[in-house]
Amino acid sequence: MLVNLKQVRRASGMTQLDAAEKLEVPFPTYRAWEQGINAPRSGDLIRIAEFFGVTVDALLGRGDPLPPNAFPARLAGSSTAPLYGVIAAGSPVEMNKILEDVDVLDSIGEEHINGFFLEVSGDSMDKVILHGGYAFLDPDKQPRNGDVVAVNVDGYDATLKRYNKTGDRVVLLPDSTNTEHQPIMVEDERARILGTMVWMTYPAGFRY
């Protein structure tokens, strides 16, 4: 039984669906692995361990237990993308440039060649990404209603919200367990999309 699969997968910043797609297995199969309903074959077990950059023993819970903040030193099959600054998941704040590189899966980086990271601050999107997580954004991806976007409001404030455009107005919607957060409505010309969120990860040592 893969007792640590869920912990390692969450630490990598992926959903169950993400992991299933990257491992090229049906979603129900992957979910059954995490739930302990079924176990992968030995060949799949090795492939899972290599993909997440951990040992087979770590996945199986053999030896010393993984600490609560366990995080692979580097994602298997990864490159890097720049972390440019901090973006609010609450009230808009001004971004500040940070010169740092963050690991991104090769398959994600290759598909979104101009992608970049912003660190999330606040809890208005905590159903999607937690405070302190890194949102990976594609500046070339045109958002559709329901997508999560990073957006500049009035040219200097940046926030992360769900995007919904109706006519000449854009509604920026929270997706949060905190009911105090309210939608932000602005005219289309006031909102400049910085990028559409296509992936996410968390820094080493992140505590869930």
Side-chain angles (χ1 to χ4, degrees):
M1 181 169 143
L2 303 183
V3 297
N4 288 322
L5 178 57
K6 180 178 180 179
Q7 181 182 354
V8 170
R9 186 263 303 166
R10 291 188 64 185
S12 74
M14 282 186 281
T15 65
Q16 288 184 336
L17 183 58
D18 291 335
E21 290 177 348
K22 300 306 176 187
L23 289 166
E24 298 181 343
V25 297
F27 174 67
T29 299
Y30 179 86
R31 182 173 57 184
W33 290 346
E34 280 202 6
Q35 294 174 340
I37 298 172
N38 292 319
R41 294 173 297 182
S42 59
D44 287 332
L45 181 58
I46 294 171
R47 189 162 61 92
I48 294 166
E50 290 177 346
F51 174 74
F52 285 112
V54 298
T55 65
V56 169
D57 283 346
L59 285 176
L60 295 174
R62 296 172 181 165
D64 294 333
L66 288 174
N69 61 343
F71 188 86
R74 182 175 175 85
L75 292 173
S78 66
S79 53
T80 61
L83 172 68
Y84 280 137
V86 177
I87 189 164
S91 299
V93 296
E94 186 175 358
M95 287 195 308
N96 298 302
K97 188 172 183 179
I98 300 174
L99 298 178
E100 184 178 345
D101 289 326
V102 176
D103 289 340
V104 59
L105 286 172
D106 278 342
S107 56
I108 300 294
E110 290 169 2
E111 186 176 352
H112 308 280
I113 59 174
N114 294 317
F116 61 92
F117 286 99
L118 290 175
E119 180 181 348
V120 174
S121 174
D123 66 354
S124 78
M125 293 299 292
D126 66 1
K127 288 184 178 181
V128 178
I129 183 169
L130 299 175
H131 171 80
Y134 295 156
F136 187 64
L137 302 143
D138 185 344
D140 303 318
K141 182 176 172 61
Q142 185 67 28
R144 297 177 296 180
N145 285 352
D147 283 346
V148 177
V149 300
V151 55
N152 263 2
V153 180
D154 293 332
Y156 60 90
D157 290 330
T159 189
L160 191 73
K161 292 289 186 293
R162 286 205 181 276
Y163 173 89
N164 193 294
K165 182 177 179 181
T166 303
D168 60 355
R169 290 190 176 272
V170 171
V171 182
L172 305 173
L173 299 163
D175 196 349
S176 176
T177 58
N178 183 349
T179 58
E180 293 184 1
H181 295 292
Q182 298 297 316
I184 300 171
M185 181 178 291
V186 297
E187 295 175 358
D188 184 28
E189 61 186 18
R190 293 174 55 198
R192 183 171 69 89
I193 305 300
L194 301 176
T196 301
M197 182 172 148
V198 294
W199 193 66
M200 65 178 180
T201 189
Y202 292 91
F206 185 86
R207 291 186 178 272
Y208 294 87

